[in-house]
């Protein structure tokens, strides 16, 4: 690039895109992602817990109980925060 070359914003406005942002849609997408992740974590922990070699394992039992006790508060926090507030 030479010293006397100028860059004009008007030349690139078609490539930038729009500035539209739907907060409600993005809030729902984030809540969906978080709750779906928690769901699959729960399914994975349940499957891990019912495997025959893990039924008597105390470490797996403790992990299972810890995850299950934290899933409900996290889920209710996400649901309450993202769906409890009203948009203008």
């Amino acid at each position: 690039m030479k010293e006397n070359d100028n860059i004009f914003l008007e030349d690139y406005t078609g490539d930038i895109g729009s500035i539209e942002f739907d907060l409600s849609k993005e809030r729902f997408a984030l809540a969906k992602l978080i709750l779906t992740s928690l769901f699959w974590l729960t399914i994975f922990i349940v499957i891990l817990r019912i495997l025959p070699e893990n039924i008597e394992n105390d470490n797996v039992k403790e992990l299972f109980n810890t995850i299950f006790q934290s899933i409900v508060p996290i889920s209710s926090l996400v649901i309450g925060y993202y769906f409890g507030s009203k948009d203008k």
Side-chain angles (χ1 to χ4, degrees):
M1 192 173 199
K2 298 177 185 177
E3 283 185 37
N4 59 0
D5 286 342
N6 294 326
I7 297 174
F8 297 102
L9 185 60
E10 294 86 21
D11 298 337
Y12 297 98
T13 55
D15 299 335
I16 293 174
S18 67
I19 58 171
E20 295 176 14
F21 184 77
D22 187 4
L23 184 61
S24 298
K25 181 180 175 184
E26 297 304 322
R27 181 180 289 175
F28 180 74
L30 182 61
K32 179 181 170 184
L33 177 68
I34 293 171
L35 293 175
T36 304
S37 300
L38 289 174
F39 172 75
W40 287 115
L41 176 66
T42 304
I43 296 298
F44 174 74
I45 294 297
V46 167
I47 290 171
L48 182 69
R49 175 72 174 94
I50 63 175
L51 288 175
E53 62 267 10
N54 293 331
I55 289 180
E56 296 299 324
N57 191 345
D58 290 334
N59 291 333
V60 175
K61 285 181 185 178
E62 185 177 331
L63 176 68
F64 180 78
N65 291 333
T66 303
I67 296 287
F68 251 63
Q69 289 174 355
S70 63
I71 292 277
V72 172
I74 292 172
S75 299
S76 60
L77 176 74
V78 169
I79 291 170
Y81 179 76
Y82 288 108
F83 298 113
S85 60
K86 292 184 178 180
D87 288 335
K88 294 179 182 178

